[in-house]
């Protein structure tokens, strides 16, 4: 699995309230959520984001509420991957569970600027900054997470497992 | 090597003799929680999983509290979705308006969480129940769905930071000040992925309500959970609220901690977190002149009986400063009713506050007290992120109920001691 796109760059502590403000949480429709993604921190994000683009941020990305709407909004806006120095843990879980690829790699974050063209290989954890000609190595996903990702999220993963015995145990 | 409290609870629920930090485990759940925002997403995922029943009718709790009483048509639709699911699945712990409360005030009050439990909730402040010596943590809707369907959840076993609390808090200092002090000290990602374990004889001086406040805000330091050792106060609380059986887990003497902090509670001053992060703290002596437009007292952080009592103690016989709006929202219907019987509600209203039905409402900028551009609020809630309570150019200052109430009288952030001395 690979991702390739242009980078949107953010700083520390991007919280779930700016990723998708609570005033839009009266819906869980991915398209409607995507229409307001990052609105309170980067009003131009929605206008400029293209399928495949990549978000790169410093520490503690996704801190705050447990709203799964946050990774859903990011995924539905077309973002193919989020790279950060660290992620807040609930965001981390949620992203994996809904099948939004995320990678922690501090060196890569330091070596990537807004607008850079970046390519990510999820199997190896290799991150290439095509604009600057630099390469970084993140820790690849453990096996069980790769399976969840390959199934495009935990739901499909469980459904495939369920298919065997008919009902969830 | 020994285990932390959290590790022991996780090991017991995974059927393992021991676990260590970093290990991935699958554990059995005692309770799965969702609210009106997160449950509809979880229900959709639950259905997609092909599940047709919840793993246990009494181990799922559904609490519509965020946009209730329904704030608009979309909110009404979301609540309807939860209500119908609860009915279809015969979920025992569904709480309709009229019997409800803010989830994290309600569940302990209803006796649904006891020491040693393993709880996940699709709400980040699920960590609140650590006050009872349980492992509880916030997850997303998909985890909630899988939890409801299978009664299991995957976890990465966390390492821990130990906080040894000593001494006795002075004056108006409460659980809120202690946890704000700690978050100010370690930062909003100071405990990322980790447990915050609270031990030490200072704990005996912190009420259960104060402990709920502290465990509630563990997530504001990035923690996976916050957990308190179980003492007489915990046992008394559980005996008064629950008929469930429980297990007390103590940390091993040789448990490994990433860091150990000793905190002298007698040195902590009333503490305020300035915009826009909970770790941007200052003591009340350092706040300077901050004029405010609104005061919000309530939420899953500080909407309990002790909080209302403190607010009423300060506001009783005084008047809210003209031009300042004070909104009080009790955590549950029971707290509301108890406060009414104690005369607290009357005192608050006479002082010039409005008292709302239990709801998350203003805490997340949902309804019932949204801020306009440029407005400032002192709130006893837990987050002061950009736009959390309304306009992105509004500001939220986090404080204890005592500081919030004193500020309501003067119209600027105020030390309760200064206000009382001025009389
Ligand atoms: S009161 Fe605030 S923090 Fe607590 S559950 Fe409700 S919205 Fe979340």
């Amino acid at each position: 699995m690979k991702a390739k796109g242009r980078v949107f760059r953010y700083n520390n502590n991007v919280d779930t309230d700016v990723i998708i403000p609570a005033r839009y949480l009266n819906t869980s429709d991915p398209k409607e959520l995507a229409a307001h993604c990052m609105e309170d921190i980067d009003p131009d994000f929605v206008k400029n984001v293209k399928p495949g683009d990549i978000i790169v941020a410093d520490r503690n990305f996704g801190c705050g509420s447990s709203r799964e709407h946050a990774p859903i909004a990011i995924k539905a806006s077309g973002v193919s991957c989020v790279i950060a120095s660290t992620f807040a843990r609930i965001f981390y879980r949620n992203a994996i569970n809904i099948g939004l690829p995320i990678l922690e790699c501090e060196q890569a974050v330091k070596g990537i600027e807004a607008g850079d063209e970046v390519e990510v290989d999820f199997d190896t954890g290799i991150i290439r900054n095509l604009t600057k000609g630099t390469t970084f190595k993140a820790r690849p996903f453990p096996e069980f997470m790769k399976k969840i990702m390959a199934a495009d999220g935990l739901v499909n993963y469980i459904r495939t497992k369920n298919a065997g015995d008919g009902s969830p145990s | 090597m020994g285990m932390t409290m959290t590790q022991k609870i996780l090991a017991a629920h995974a059927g393992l003799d021991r676990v260590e930090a970093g290990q991935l485990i699958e554990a059995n759940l005692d309770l799965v929680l969702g609210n009106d925002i997160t449950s509809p997403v979880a229900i959709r995922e639950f259905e997609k999983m092909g599940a047709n029943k919840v793993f246990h009718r009494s181990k799922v709790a559904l609490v519509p509290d965020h946009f209730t009483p329904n704030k608009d048509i979309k909110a009404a639709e979301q609540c309807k979705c939860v209500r119908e699911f609860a009915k279809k699945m015969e979920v025992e712990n569904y709480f309709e308006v009229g019997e409800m409360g803010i989830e994290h005030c309600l569940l302990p009050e209803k006796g649904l969480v006891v020491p040693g439990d393993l709880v996940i909730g699709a709400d980040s402040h699920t960590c609140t129940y650590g006050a009872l010596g349980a492992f509880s943590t916030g997850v997303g809707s998909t985890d909630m769905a899988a939890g409801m369907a299978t009664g299991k959840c995957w976890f990465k076993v966390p390492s821990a930071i130990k906080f040894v609390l000593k001494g006795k808090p002075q004056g108006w200092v409460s659980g809120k000040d202690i946890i704000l002090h700690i978050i100010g000290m370690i930062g909003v990602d100071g405990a990322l992925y980790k447990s915050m374990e609270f031990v030490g004889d200072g704990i005996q001086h912190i009420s259960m309500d104060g402990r709920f406040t502290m465990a509630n805000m563990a997530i504001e330091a990035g923690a996976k959970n916050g957990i308190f050792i179980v003492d007489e106060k915990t046992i008394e609380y559980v005996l008064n609220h629950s008929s469930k059986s429980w297990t007390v887990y103590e940390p091993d003497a040789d448990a490994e901690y990433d860091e150990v902090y000793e905190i002298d509670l007698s040195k902590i001053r009333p503490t305020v977190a300035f915009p826009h992060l909970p770790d941007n703290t200052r003591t009340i002596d350092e706040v300077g002149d901050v004029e405010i437009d609104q005061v919000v007292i309530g939420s899953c952080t500080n909407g309990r009986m002790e909080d209302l009592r403190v607010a009423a103690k300060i506001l009783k016989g005084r008047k809210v400063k003209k031009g300042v709006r004070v909104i009080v929202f009790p955590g549950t219907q029971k707290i509301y009713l108890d406060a009414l019987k104690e005369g607290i509600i009357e005192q608050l209203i006479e002082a010039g506050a409005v008292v709302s039905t239990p709801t998350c409402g203003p805490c997340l900028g949902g309804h019932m007290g949204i801020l306009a551009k440029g407005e400032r609020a002192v709130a006893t809630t837990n987050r002061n992120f950009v736009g959390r309570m309304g306009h992105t150019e509004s500001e939220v200052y986090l404080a204890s109920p005592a500081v919030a109430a004193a500020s309501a009288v003067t119209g600027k952030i105020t030390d309760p001691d200064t206000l009382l001395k001025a009389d």
Side-chain angles (χ1 to χ4, degrees), chain A residues 36-52:
Chain A
H36 300 289
C37 190
M38 309 305 275
E39 190 174 289
D40 284 357
I41 191 179
D42 182 359
D44 294 331
F45 175 83
V46 172
K47 254 188 288 164
N48 296 335
V49 68
K50 289 194 201 61

Side-chain angles (χ1 to χ4, degrees), chain B residues 65-66 102-104 123 125 299-300 360 363-364 382 388:
Chain B
D65 56 357
H66 278 59
I102 300 169
E103 48 197 335
H104 311 306
D123 188 281
H125 293 101
S299 85
C300 62
C360 289
C363 172
L364 79 162
N382 46 40
R388 173 72 178 181

Side-chain angles (χ1 to χ4, degrees), chain A residues 65 67, chain B residues 35 37 65-66 102-105 123-126 128 216 220 298-301 329 359-365 381-383 388:
Chain A
S65 107
R67 60 188 71 150
Chain B
N35 59 46
I37 292 185
D65 56 357
H66 278 59
I102 300 169
E103 48 197 335
H104 311 306
C105 297
D123 188 281
S124 57
H125 293 101
T126 303
T128 307
N216 175 272
E220 261 58 68
S299 85
C300 62
T301 315
F329 57 122
T359 176
C360 289
C363 172
L364 79 162
T381 54
N382 46 40
R383 292 199 170 129
R388 173 72 178 181

